[in-house]
């Protein structure tokens, strides 16, 4: 039969004990008392379990990266009033913060200057509902990003958002530009280490308006600049795409030589 | 990363045909303290504020989520917290108390967000699609839900201490600094809170 619970062992003391907030002598005395108090032992286990649950505090938001959203929010002027929640995770987990209206892929009569859009040529007849597209924005020092419209300054920062909808969406994407001098600028994948050969970035299926998470700047030569978006089902390497691009002498054909890939392009002027 | 107001941002990506970047020995940003990162960000050093965000965002999100109990609000609260911290860069004083400062901003944001009663159902729709397979995971979620419910029965003072300790992983000293109360008071509140949680759960 258990002894009468020791009135000295309150649950608060047990919490302090488990939190390591008792002195060595207090802990030793408590441990001795506990051996004779089944009720305190039971409460100790309950407190231990509660602390364990409190320490394992995962949430549905674990893994969310705030950097893109913060950057977007900072491009907007400060607002003194609390704003309603923005569509943080509405699509694909990384939709941009409020105020940036992104393009959703659809079939327009005329394609806006600021967006790429295409279907995979090889699948054109069988999958008319599948659409993919990329929209390009100018990242401004102040104010919200604006769709790229025709002209661009050398060194101007660009943001990209892709859409990858349909029954058979693509798996990979490359974004690049070919300048007036034939120089190739890579947006995605990042290509900043000579001697490396990065591959296409993976893209999410069934998503629209997914903001890629960096503002990318290059020093473009004045003159025409061709922006290219290469969707594919298999990852492509920078080297093979560059080799192909160099053979095109500043012109991009509609059909890339890569299997089941789709190239979208737009032309702007650097001035 | 490109933030408005940055001075002379370093070109981030040398192009294929450009000369290779000079390899200057430097301390990785991740090795800097919070205060140092704030100062670097103030000086326009690229990536400094990103590093700061990524260092703290997990706990900021968790605490925000536990406060506002809504994923959309929590994400907004967390984002607004970092935005406010960034905008306050010119006024920030490096005193080795960045965490306390950050969570003070966060608590303010939480208070403001709780005044709003609108919900963002789309976000919840997305989150609800996350499958749960393992029985242990189901059990853990159930336990967490019970403890969350018990937390709601605590007074604001007690609950705040628990959330800061376990949601934000702050030490008793840091909580005391943040709330401007003695460390002993923080501890006392904590142990009372734990005892009350146990009582509450025992009754269920």
């Amino acid at each position: 039969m258990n002894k009468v619970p020791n009135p000295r062992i309150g649950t608060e003391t047990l919490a302090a004990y488990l939190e390591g907030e008792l002195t060595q002598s207090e802990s030793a005395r408590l441990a001795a008392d506990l051996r004779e108090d089944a009720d305190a032992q039971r409460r100790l286990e309950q407190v231990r379990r509660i602390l364990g649950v409190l320490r394992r505090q995962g949430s549905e938001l674990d893994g969310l990266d705030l950097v893109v959203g913060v950057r977007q929010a900072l491009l907007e002027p400060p607002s003194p009033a609390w704003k309603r929640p923005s569509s943080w995770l509405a699509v694909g987990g990384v939709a941009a913060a409020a105020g940036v209206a992104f393009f959703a892929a659809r079939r327009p009569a005329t394609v806006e200057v600021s967006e790429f859009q295409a279907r995979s040529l090889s699948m054109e007849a069988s999958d008319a509902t599948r659409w993919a597209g990329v929209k390009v924005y100018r990242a401004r020092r102040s104010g919200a990003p604006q769709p790229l419209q025709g002209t661009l300054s050398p060194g101007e920062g660009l943001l990209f958002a892709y859409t990858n909808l349909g029954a058979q969406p693509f798996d990979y994407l490359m974004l690049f530009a070919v300048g007036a001098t034939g120089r190739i600028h890579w947006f995605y994948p990042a290509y900043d280490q000579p001697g490396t050969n990065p591959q296409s970035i993976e893209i999410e299926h069934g998503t629209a308006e997914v903001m890629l998470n960096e503002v990318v700047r290059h020093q473009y030569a004045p003159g025409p600049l061709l922006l290219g978006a290469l969707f594919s089902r298999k990852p492509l390497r920078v080297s093979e795409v560059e080799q192909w691009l160099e053979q095109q002498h500043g012109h991009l054909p509609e059909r890339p030589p890569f299997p089941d890939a789709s190239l979208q392009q737009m032309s702007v002027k650097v001035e | 990363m490109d933030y408005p107001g940055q001075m002379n941002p370093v070109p981030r990506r040398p192009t294929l045909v450009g000369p290779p970047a000079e390899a200057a020995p430097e301390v990785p940003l991740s090795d800097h303290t919070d205060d140092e990162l704030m100062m670097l960000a103030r000086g326009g050093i690229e990536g400094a504020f990103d590093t700061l965000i990524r260092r703290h965002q997990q706990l900021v999100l968790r605490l925000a989520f536990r406060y506002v109990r809504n994923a959309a609000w929590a994400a907004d609260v967390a984002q607004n917290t970092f935005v406010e911290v960034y905008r306050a860069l010119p006024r920030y004083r490096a005193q080795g108390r960045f965490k306390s400062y950050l969570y003070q901003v966060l608590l303010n944001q939480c208070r403001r967000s709780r005044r709003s009663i609108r919900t963002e159902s789309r976000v919840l729709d997305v989150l609800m699609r996350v499958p749960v397979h393992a029985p242990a995971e189901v059990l853990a979620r159930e336990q967490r839900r019970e403890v969350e419910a018990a937390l709601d029965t605590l007074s604001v003072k007690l609950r705040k201490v628990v959330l800061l300790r376990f949601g934000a992983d702050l030490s008793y000293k840091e909580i005391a600094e943040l709330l401007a109360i003695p460390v002993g008071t923080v501890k006392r509140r904590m142990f009372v809170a734990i005892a009350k949680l146990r009582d509450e759960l025992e009754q269920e």
Side-chain angles (χ1 to χ4, degrees), chain B residues 113-130:
Chain B
S113 77
R114 287 180 81 115
R115 293 186 200 134
S116 171
I117 56 170
R118 303 174 83 170
T119 59
E120 180 54 85
S121 59
R122 283 183 302 167
V123 174
L124 295 178
D125 287 345
V126 171
L127 296 175
M128 295 301 273
R129 285 191 221 123
V130 176

Side-chain angles (χ1 to χ4, degrees), chain B residues 64-77:
Chain B
F65 184 70
R66 293 182 78 86
Y67 249 91
V68 301
R69 302 289 180 79
N70 176 299
W73 288 358
D76 257 23
V77 161

Side-chain angles (χ1 to χ4, degrees), chain A residues 19 46 57 88 187 242, chain B residues 13 16 66 79 172 198:
Chain A
E19 277 282 273
Q46 288 173 328
Q57 289 185 77
W88 256 97
F187 304 116
E242 287 204 332
Chain B
R13 297 177 172 189
L16 175 67
R66 293 182 78 86
Q79 174 184 302
Y172 289 123
R198 192 210 72 88

Side-chain angles (χ1 to χ4, degrees), chain B residues 48-147:
Chain B
F49 203 69
D50 292 358
T51 305
L52 206 56
I53 293 173
R54 292 197 165 113
R55 180 178 292 173
H56 293 284
Q57 62 184 359
Q58 186 92 332
L59 291 176
V60 166
L61 280 164
R62 285 186 186 187
L63 183 57
F65 184 70
R66 293 182 78 86
Y67 249 91
V68 301
R69 302 289 180 79
N70 176 299
W73 288 358
D76 257 23
V77 161
Q79 174 184 302
N80 290 340
T81 296
F82 286 110
V83 168
E84 189 173 328
V85 168
Y86 184 86
R87 288 192 168 135
L89 268 176
R91 301 187 303 278
Y92 182 75
R93 289 190 295 176
Q95 297 174 320
R97 293 178 184 169
F98 177 77
K99 265 174 87 175
S100 297
Y101 167 69
L102 175 67
Y103 286 103
Q104 188 64 63
V105 175
L106 175 62
L107 291 181
N108 288 338
Q109 289 287 343
C110 287
R111 272 193 290 273
R112 290 164 71 181
S113 77
R114 287 180 81 115
R115 293 186 200 134
S116 171
I117 56 170
R118 303 174 83 170
T119 59
E120 180 54 85
S121 59
R122 283 183 302 167
V123 174
L124 295 178
D125 287 345
V126 171
L127 296 175
M128 295 301 273
R129 285 191 221 123
V130 176
V132 177
H133 299 297
E137 195 176 336
V138 175
L139 186 64
R141 281 189 175 223
E142 185 56 30
Q143 286 178 338
R144 200 171 73 193
R145 199 162 22 242
E146 287 173 0
V147 172

Side-chain angles (χ1 to χ4, degrees), chain A:
Chain A
M1 182 176 171
N2 289 326
K3 292 185 177 179
V4 176
N6 187 335
R8 285 178 302 175
I9 310 181
T11 308
E12 295 169 28
T13 307
L14 297 173
Y17 173 64
L18 291 175
E19 277 282 273
E21 292 296 329
L22 297 185
T23 64
Q24 203 169 353
S25 61
E26 287 171 336
S27 294
R29 194 161 58 243
L30 180 68
D33 287 346
L34 276 170
R35 281 194 287 274
E36 300 176 355
D37 190 336
D39 179 67
Q41 287 176 27
R42 184 179 63 82
R43 283 183 286 123
L44 180 73
E45 285 314 305
Q46 288 173 328
V47 171
R48 197 193 303 276
R49 204 157 45 239
I50 290 166
L51 290 172
V53 171
L54 288 171
R55 288 192 178 107
R56 289 194 306 272
Q57 289 185 77
S59 83
E60 287 87 341
L61 295 171
D62 283 358
L64 179 64
D65 192 347
L66 293 172
V67 168
V68 179
V70 171
R71 181 186 64 205
Q72 291 297 321
L74 285 168
L75 289 170
E76 296 180 335
S79 169
W82 175 259
K83 297 195 303 186
R84 65 182 291 278
S86 55
S87 54
W88 256 97
L89 302 174
V91 183
V94 284
V100 185
F102 287 104
F103 151 75
R106 56 189 162 73
R107 186 201 303 256
T110 54
V111 177
E112 286 179 26
V113 177
S114 58
E115 64 194 39
F116 305 95
Q117 187 177 53
R119 294 177 294 180
S120 167
L121 294 168
S122 61
M123 305 292 287
E124 184 170 333
S126 63
D127 186 12
T129 61
R130 175 163 58 77
W131 294 96
V134 169
K135 191 157 189 177
V136 189
Y137 292 85
R138 313 165 81 145
R140 299 185 306 159
R141 289 291 178 197
S142 61
Q146 287 195 332
L148 180 61
Q149 298 282 353
T151 60
L152 177 68
S153 304
E156 186 162 3
L158 295 178
L159 281 163
F160 301 87
Y162 73 81
T163 290
N164 191 28
L165 297 170
Q168 292 179 289
F170 291 99
D171 300 297
Y172 296 92
L173 174 64
M174 286 181 142
L175 290 167
F176 54 85
V178 182
T181 61
R183 182 172 176 175
I184 301 166
H185 305 279
W186 283 95
F187 304 116
Y188 291 92
Y191 188 22
D192 52 10
Q193 296 293 326
T196 61
N197 191 13
Q199 65 179 29
S200 318
I201 61 167
E202 285 187 57
I203 52 176
E204 295 178 57
H205 290 182
T207 55
E209 307 165 5
V210 176
M211 190 73 165
L212 295 173
N213 63 0
E214 288 181 274
V215 175
V216 186
R217 296 179 191 280
H218 287 296
Q219 284 300 322
Y220 311 105
L225 183 75
L226 270 178
L227 297 168
L230 186 55
F231 287 88
S232 61
R233 301 201 180 285
K234 292 184 176 175
L236 301 171
R237 292 284 177 184
V238 162
S239 61
E240 61 185 320
V241 175
E242 287 204 332
Q243 192 175 10
W244 167 63
L245 288 173
E246 283 162 4
Q247 293 166 359
Q248 309 310 311
H249 307 293
H251 298 281
L252 296 181
E254 283 192 7
R255 290 174 182 265
F258 311 107
D260 208 12
S262 172
L263 176 69
Q264 296 140 62
Q265 53 186 293
M266 63 179 280
S267 180
V268 294
K269 190 175 180 186
V270 179
E271 47 181 40

